[in-house]
Amino acid sequence: MAKDKASRRPRAETPKGFRDYFGADVTERKAMLDAVAEVYHRYGFDPLETSAVETVEALGKFLPDVDRPNEGVFGWQDEDGDWLALRYDLTAPLARVAAQFRNDLPSPYRRYAMGPVWRNEKPGPGRFRQFYQCDADTVGSASVAADAEICAMLSDALEVVGIPRGDYIVRVNNRKVLNGVMEVAGVLDPSDPAKFEAERGIVLRAIDKIDRLGKTGVRALLGAGRKDESGDFTKGAGLSDEQAEVVMGFMAAKRDTGAATAARLRELVGASTLGCEGVQELETIAELLDAQGYGPDRIVVDPSVVRGLGYYTGPVFEAELTFEILDEKGRKRQFGSVAGGGRYDDLVKRFTGQSVPATGVSIGVDRLLAALRAKGRAGAEAQGPVVVTVMDRDRMGDYMAMVGELRRAGLRAELYLGNPKNFGNQLKYADARKSPVAVIQGSDEATRGVVVLKDLVLGAQIAAGASLEEWKSRPAQVEVPRADLVRAVQDMLS
Amino acid sequence: MAKDKASRRPRAETPKGFRDYFGADVTERKAMLDAVAEVYHRYGFDPLETSAVETVEALGKFLPDVDRPNEGVFGWQDEDGDWLALRYDLTAPLARVAAQFRNDLPSPYRRYAMGPVWRNEKPGPGRFRQFYQCDADTVGSASVAADAEICAMLSDALEVVGIPRGDYIVRVNNRKVLNGVMEVAGVLDPSDPAKFEAERGIVLRAIDKIDRLGKTGVRALLGAGRKDESGDFTKGAGLSDEQAEVVMGFMAAKRDTGAATAARLRELVGASTLGCEGVQELETIAELLDAQGYGPDRIVVDPSVVRGLGYYTGPVFEAELTFEILDEKGRKRQFGSVAGGGRYDDLVKRFTGQSVPATGVSIGVDRLLAALRAKGRAGAEAQGPVVVTVMDRDRMGDYMAMVGELRRAGLRAELYLGNPKNFGNQLKYADARKSPVAVIQGSDEATRGVVVLKDLVLGAQIAAGASLEEWKSRPAQVEVPRADLVRAVQDMLS
């Protein structure tokens, strides 16, 4: 009680940027991931669960000239002086596993992984330092059939969790086509790949912002630069008008059919070998998907998809939800991207020196869950347990027998385990638990061999103003023989 | 290729003491935990998933006079200089949550949690620095009905995952009884609880080692001490013969029925108020369990259970698997403990200053999984996917259509995505994947509108020496019309 004692008490707080998940938060995410895993399993993908902790060396975040690993990760030094860190994604650990177990894993190796990752970044509203990722990758296949398969699987996964066909679209593009266009525009020299790297970075990021900036904004960034509403100026790629128009043409290359889009892209990449190869790959992907029945209502070639990450080397894809929601300010907008991925052929090479082709997709777990809630496919308030109340604390055995019978019948049921003195508190508890039925048996009912069932759902409706007729036709409280407890509760719940 | 470049390559290794889980390792654990969660749900327990990272302050591992947190945890300093650490169990985070959200959570609060925890301890064979825990706790109930419920739920959970009744026993004891016995033995003074603390610690640890040391070993530790086979000497509690005999009598107090055991314990605790209270609680627990049909074939009062942890304040329990397995040296031994828990009334008090009664159980996930494998209830080699091979790389669309049809029929199926040049490699791949059926269609079969199905299970049996009759009655390879692909594969798998 002394003040100095109280001030030494630890604070009961989650660390900044972390959160706890309660009840339905856990079960809804689990149900969604279980459904996705079922699809991945059917496609022949095996689960992999790597440890949360990796060596910083394996994560590839180590900067040799600084004391601490890159600030983006949570890292610490172990007893031998080696730096360890929490994984920041599921791809880096896969690359490590693919190298470490290269003689034991099947090749190609299809694997999926679901679990938390950690980022040592500034937290913000809805931005946490621990969050879930859900990845599927094929390591060891250079065939674009692997990319096509990932797209088909992503489409299946979205439908299985509850996004109906027509409410999503998987868009496919190819970095090689974009690089071919860059070649034509004169900002990529195949004989000197490092040249114009800064310009290409600006072009890539500009295209990635088309949804937000519109054509005019992107066009400005391709040229001298862009001044935003606040007056801030972002330096552009410095392309000439002719160069910029080639890139703009690429972004507008989407036609009504995949074949027409491919034909337009072929015009744009002209003589670029890489570009032609990229268009050919896109055509093959479209054919392979078509052979399985995945038409443009589900998966389309769309040149405006580039994906931000630098490590993609071929096909890239993105799943977008096309239905509208209201944003924080009440404006309608498309829900947007919930998954993305692509081909990355160089990640395993870091470890072994040998190039290993790989392609994969990552679902934004929290985004997709938010989408399901927006569509009413998750987040429906789950019914709570039946609550057996305690009228007479000397007969706890009788009450436990009741709750045991209900549970054995498969019903979710609880005995009130707080102090039973105040019966009002017990009903408040049942209410907090969203209980549909309270079971009550005082000594009088016990003597007569009956129990009282209180319909808490109906009770709440009556309190909320249900009509007298409704109240009469279905009383909020019934008395039934003790032997009929389970059946009567089942009736009330049905 | 230069040596200095190669030597700078990162090592592809898990950090020391960590491991990866592949395929069935993941799915078998998940199936077990899903079954347990289903039981916990039916008992009214809600899932809670706290973050992996906690403040060291909240974990309670901080020693104010040292620079780093206790070496048992993985900790680091954040940008504000606060120490963070990975959770080392699921109980400390629960205590933090119970304090942080005490105004929002139902009371009593029943919660379960399943997930990895991390220990910065010396790794060894089978001892990892990251492992799963699976806990269920009731916070806010002082009633022993809460303890009885946990025991019943543990019994149900073991049966649901596949441990048959008779192969396990849940043993219940009460720290209060042991403390009553200590009082009688003269090593606990209710008016000065701190006195004899060291002696009581030695007694507690000695009793906990009864399985390993036997009665003679424990008796030695109660007295002057014990010399082990290697000649090392462990100092004992220094009890006199009379004192030691009281404790030994306690350990041997188990009788054929719970009532007889309780009667014997009542004799032993004599006039100790705490001891009598403890016996009374054990009797109540036995009655409550009996009222639900949990007899001594599932849950028994057993005074030899003490549980090592210091923070238990009342009932303690342990689930032991009673069937025999062969140990590393080929000797028969009982499988032993797979779960344990008890009442701890002081953990939340650290944060709020107010005592909050709580009780719970933790299942040793890896131990229980090992038990299921020992019983053949898990670890059966799962059948791999159907593999569609690639004879003609120009017809990838045809092969993808086949694999798509198989998947849509709910079959697990893969297209071979490696380099198709060497057909032998494709069959080797199917073998590595434990595939039951390979689908083959060369250009000849395509022209004739058929596919060949190769029964890889039968093929392996023939290779392993199945008789000629078996071979004749069921050819390892059949040709079927392309249109019958799915049905024919289903037949072969059934």
Side-chain angles (χ1 to χ4, degrees):
Chain A
M1 301 296 268
K3 183 144 192 317
D4 62 336
K5 267 202 169 173
S7 65
R8 262 189 273 125
R9 270 187 214 137
R11 275 166 305 173
E13 280 172 16
T14 36
K16 201 172 46 180
F18 291 88
R19 58 162 294 193
D20 303 304
Y21 294 83
F22 293 90
D25 288 343
V26 178
T27 47
E28 285 168 12
R29 181 181 56 209
K30 182 177 183 304
M32 184 182 89
L33 292 180
D34 283 357
V36 171
E38 176 56 35
V39 172
Y40 290 179
H41 171 81
R42 206 161 63 233
Y43 272 76
F45 285 67
D46 280 342
L48 168 67
E49 192 176 307
T50 61
S51 60
V53 179
E54 295 276 349
T55 65
V56 167
E57 181 182 341
L59 285 182
K61 282 269 179 176
F62 192 62
L63 305 175
D65 54 347
V66 295
D67 271 357
R68 283 182 68 93
N70 190 312
E71 283 301 305
V73 300
F74 290 105
W76 63 89
Q77 236 168 339
D78 76 2
E79 64 280 11
D80 303 328
D82 293 331
W83 279 97
L84 303 179
L86 294 176
R87 64 184 181 206
Y88 60 87
D89 73 3
L90 300 173
T91 307
L94 171 63
R96 193 261 304 154
V97 164
Q100 184 172 353
F101 300 97
R102 61 187 177 281
N103 296 326
D104 308 310
L105 292 172
S107 177
Y109 175 47
R110 288 173 172 95
R111 88 89 179 78
Y112 69 85
M114 299 169 169
V117 301
W118 293 266
R119 303 259 171 103
N120 192 1
E121 289 168 352
K122 208 174 144 63
R127 276 173 62 91
F128 294 97
R129 290 171 150 186
Q130 172 178 331
F131 55 93
Y132 265 69
Q133 287 196 337
C134 167
D135 283 22
D137 295 79
T138 299
V139 178
S141 174
S143 167
V144 290
D147 302 281
E149 177 175 88
I150 295 270
C151 291
M153 187 166 76
L154 178 56
S155 163
D156 284 8
L158 291 174
E159 293 188 14
V160 150
V161 301
I163 306 290
R165 205 169 297 179
D167 268 354
Y168 72 90
I169 191 79
V170 178
R171 303 183 198 281
V172 189
N173 193 10
N174 196 324
R175 275 286 168 84
K176 291 179 183 172
V177 178
L178 178 57
N179 284 335
V181 170
M182 301 261 210
E183 205 180 318
V184 171
V187 286
L188 176 70
D189 179 353
S191 67
D192 182 4
K195 209 170 159 187
F196 305 120
E197 210 170 286
E199 286 80 359
R200 288 199 302 276
I202 296 175
V203 170
L204 205 68
R205 288 191 293 277
I207 298 178
D208 213 19
K209 289 178 187 152
I210 180 79
D211 282 350
R212 195 158 57 80
L213 303 184
K215 277 185 194 172
T216 321
V218 173
R219 177 66 185 80
L221 283 172
L222 296 179
R226 175 179 174 270
K227 192 180 278 194
D228 68 16
E229 293 97 52
S230 75
D232 283 346
F233 185 76
T234 308
K235 193 173 169 299
L239 302 195
S240 71
D241 283 355
E242 295 93 308
Q243 290 177 313
E245 284 313 318
V246 173
V247 175
M248 293 304 290
F250 168 74
M251 293 178 59
K254 187 169 181 303
R255 296 290 179 269
D256 284 343
T257 68
T261 303
R264 173 69 184 132
L265 289 174
R266 213 174 271 285
E267 286 172 27
L268 285 167
V269 297
S272 161
T273 314
L274 194 66
C276 290
E277 195 180 306
V279 177
Q280 176 63 51
E281 286 181 3
L282 281 178
E283 284 174 332
T284 305
I285 289 175
E287 279 164 28
L288 292 175
L289 288 169
D290 208 50
Q292 284 185 83
Y294 293 85
D297 56 331
R298 287 189 268 179
I299 307 175
V300 291
V301 171
D302 184 339
S304 69
V305 173
V306 297
R307 305 288 306 156
L309 281 173
Y311 59 60
Y312 291 123
T313 54
V316 288
F317 19 88
E318 190 162 82
E320 203 176 306
L321 302 191
T322 50
F323 60 84
E324 289 187 327
I325 54 160
L326 298 180
D327 68 12
E328 319 79 62
K329 295 179 182 165
R331 291 171 306 205
K332 276 191 183 179
R333 62 167 184 83
Q334 283 212 343
F335 192 90
S337 173
V338 291
R343 176 165 286 278
Y344 52 98
D345 285 347
D346 293 327
L347 279 194
V348 181
K349 195 177 183 178
R350 287 183 57 234
F351 296 103
T352 62
Q354 289 176 312
S355 212
V356 177
T359 184
V361 68
S362 184
I363 291 178
V365 174
D366 291 322
R367 290 273 302 157
L368 184 54
L369 201 50
L372 294 178
R373 288 183 181 135
K375 293 290 278 183
R377 303 297 164 103
E381 216 162 329
Q383 200 173 58
V386 174
V387 170
V388 175
T389 59
V390 176
M391 296 291 280
D392 180 353
R393 69 170 78 200
D394 293 336
R395 291 193 301 107
M396 288 298 275
D398 293 351
Y399 300 125
M400 278 201 103
M402 292 180 201
V403 82
E405 281 171 37
L406 292 166
R407 286 167 178 164
R408 272 193 295 279
L411 296 171
R412 191 177 194 209
E414 289 184 6
L415 174 62
Y416 181 72
L417 285 177
N419 187 334
K421 207 169 164 185
N422 181 332
F423 190 71
N425 280 348
Q426 299 197 45
L427 290 183
K428 264 185 223 157
Y429 173 84
D431 191 50
R433 295 292 290 142
K434 301 189 180 66
S435 172
V437 179
V439 179
I440 305 167
Q441 191 193 52
S443 49
D444 168 58
E445 286 89 3
T447 311
R448 291 190 290 118
V450 297
V451 290
V452 172
L453 305 185
K454 197 171 164 67
D455 185 331
L456 299 174
V457 178
L458 186 66
Q461 284 167 358
I462 291 173
S467 73
L468 189 62
E469 288 75 58
E470 284 170 309
W471 184 83
K472 275 185 178 164
S473 69
R474 196 178 164 197
Q477 196 163 302
V478 294
E479 191 179 284
V480 300
R482 167 67 182 82
D484 292 348
L485 171 67
V486 170
R487 193 198 43 72
V489 170
Q490 281 167 335
D491 284 353
M492 204 170 256
L493 291 176
S494 66
Chain B
M1 299 297 269
K3 183 146 192 317
D4 62 336
K5 267 202 169 173
S7 66
R8 263 190 271 126
R9 269 185 215 138
R11 275 166 305 173
E13 280 172 17
T14 36
K16 202 172 48 179
F18 291 88
R19 58 163 294 192
D20 302 304
Y21 294 83
F22 293 89
D25 289 344
V26 178
T27 47
E28 286 168 11
R29 181 180 57 210
K30 181 175 184 304
M32 184 182 89
L33 292 179
D34 283 357
V36 171
E38 176 55 35
V39 172
Y40 290 180
H41 171 81
R42 206 162 63 233
Y43 271 76
F45 285 68
D46 280 343
L48 168 67
E49 192 176 307
T50 60
S51 60
V53 179
E54 295 276 349
T55 65
V56 167
E57 181 183 341
L59 285 181
K61 282 269 178 177
F62 192 62
L63 305 175
D65 53 348
V66 295
D67 271 358
R68 282 182 69 93
N70 190 313
E71 283 301 306
V73 300
F74 289 105
W76 63 90
Q77 237 168 337
D78 76 2
E79 64 279 11
D80 303 328
D82 294 330
W83 279 96
L84 303 178
L86 294 176
R87 64 183 180 206
Y88 60 88
D89 73 3
L90 300 173
T91 307
L94 171 63
R96 193 261 304 154
V97 165
Q100 184 172 352
F101 299 97
R102 61 187 177 282
N103 297 326
D104 308 309
L105 292 172
S107 177
Y109 175 47
R110 288 173 172 96
R111 88 89 179 78
Y112 69 85
M114 299 169 168
V117 300
W118 293 265
R119 302 259 171 103
N120 192 0
E121 290 168 352
K122 208 175 144 60
R127 275 173 63 90
F128 294 97
R129 289 172 150 185
Q130 173 178 331
F131 55 93
Y132 264 69
Q133 287 196 338
C134 167
D135 283 21
D137 296 78
T138 300
V139 178
S141 174
S143 167
V144 291
D147 302 281
E149 177 175 87
I150 295 270
C151 291
M153 187 166 76
L154 178 56
S155 163
D156 284 8
L158 291 174
E159 293 188 14
V160 151
V161 300
I163 306 290
R165 205 169 298 180
D167 268 354
Y168 73 90
I169 192 80
V170 177
R171 303 183 198 281
V172 189
N173 193 11
N174 195 323
R175 274 288 168 83
K176 290 179 182 173
V177 178
L178 178 58
N179 283 335
V181 170
M182 300 261 211
E183 205 181 318
V184 170
V187 286
L188 177 69
D189 179 353
S191 67
D192 183 4
K195 210 171 159 187
F196 305 120
E197 210 169 286
E199 287 81 358
R200 287 199 303 276
I202 296 176
V203 171
L204 205 69
R205 288 190 293 277
I207 298 178
D208 213 20
K209 289 177 186 153
I210 181 78
D211 281 350
R212 195 158 57 80
L213 303 184
K215 277 185 194 171
T216 322
V218 173
R219 177 66 185 79
L221 284 172
L222 296 179
R226 175 178 174 271
K227 191 180 278 191
D228 68 16
E229 293 98 50
S230 75
D232 284 346
F233 185 76
T234 309
K235 193 173 169 298
L239 303 195
S240 70
D241 283 355
E242 294 93 309
Q243 289 177 312
E245 284 313 318
V246 173
V247 175
M248 294 304 290
F250 167 74
M251 293 178 59
K254 186 168 182 303
R255 297 290 179 268
D256 284 343
T257 68
T261 303
R264 173 68 184 132
L265 289 175
R266 214 173 270 286
E267 285 171 27
L268 286 167
V269 298
S272 161
T273 313
L274 194 66
C276 290
E277 196 180 305
V279 176
Q280 176 63 52
E281 286 180 4
L282 281 178
E283 284 175 332
T284 305
I285 289 174
E287 280 164 27
L288 292 175
L289 288 169
D290 208 50
Q292 284 185 84
Y294 293 85
D297 56 331
R298 288 189 268 178
I299 307 175
V300 292
V301 171
D302 185 339
S304 69
V305 173
V306 298
R307 305 290 306 158
L309 282 173
Y311 59 60
Y312 291 123
T313 54
V316 289
F317 19 88
E318 190 161 82
E320 204 175 305
L321 302 190
T322 51
F323 60 84
E324 290 187 326
I325 54 159
L326 298 180
D327 67 12
E328 319 79 63
K329 295 179 182 166
R331 291 171 306 204
K332 277 190 182 180
R333 63 168 184 82
Q334 283 212 343
F335 192 90
S337 173
V338 291
R343 177 165 285 278
Y344 51 98
D345 285 347
D346 293 328
L347 279 194
V348 181
K349 195 177 182 178
R350 288 183 56 234
F351 295 103
T352 61
Q354 289 176 314
S355 213
V356 177
T359 184
V361 68
S362 184
I363 291 178
V365 174
D366 291 322
R367 291 272 303 156
L368 184 54
L369 201 50
L372 294 178
R373 287 182 182 138
K375 293 290 278 183
R377 303 296 165 102
E381 216 162 328
Q383 200 173 57
V386 174
V387 171
V388 176
T389 59
V390 176
M391 295 291 280
D392 181 354
R393 69 170 79 201
D394 294 337
R395 292 194 301 107
M396 288 299 275
D398 293 351
Y399 300 125
M400 278 201 104
M402 292 181 201
V403 83
E405 281 172 37
L406 292 166
R407 286 167 179 164
R408 271 193 295 279
L411 296 171
R412 191 175 194 211
E414 290 184 5
L415 174 62
Y416 181 73
L417 285 177
N419 187 333
K421 206 169 164 186
N422 181 333
F423 191 70
N425 280 348
Q426 299 198 45
L427 290 183
K428 265 185 223 156
Y429 173 84
D431 191 50
R433 295 292 291 142
K434 301 188 180 67
S435 172
V437 179
V439 178
I440 305 167
Q441 191 193 52
S443 49
D444 168 58
E445 287 89 2
T447 311
R448 292 190 290 118
V450 297
V451 290
V452 172
L453 305 185
K454 197 172 164 66
D455 185 331
L456 299 174
V457 178
L458 186 65
Q461 283 166 0
I462 291 172
S467 73
L468 188 61
E469 288 75 58
E470 283 171 310
W471 183 83
K472 276 186 177 162
S473 70
R474 196 178 164 196
Q477 198 163 302
V478 294
E479 192 179 283
V480 300
R482 167 66 183 83
D484 292 348
L485 170 67
V486 170
R487 193 197 42 73
V489 170
Q490 281 167 335
D491 284 353
M492 203 170 256
L493 291 176
S494 65

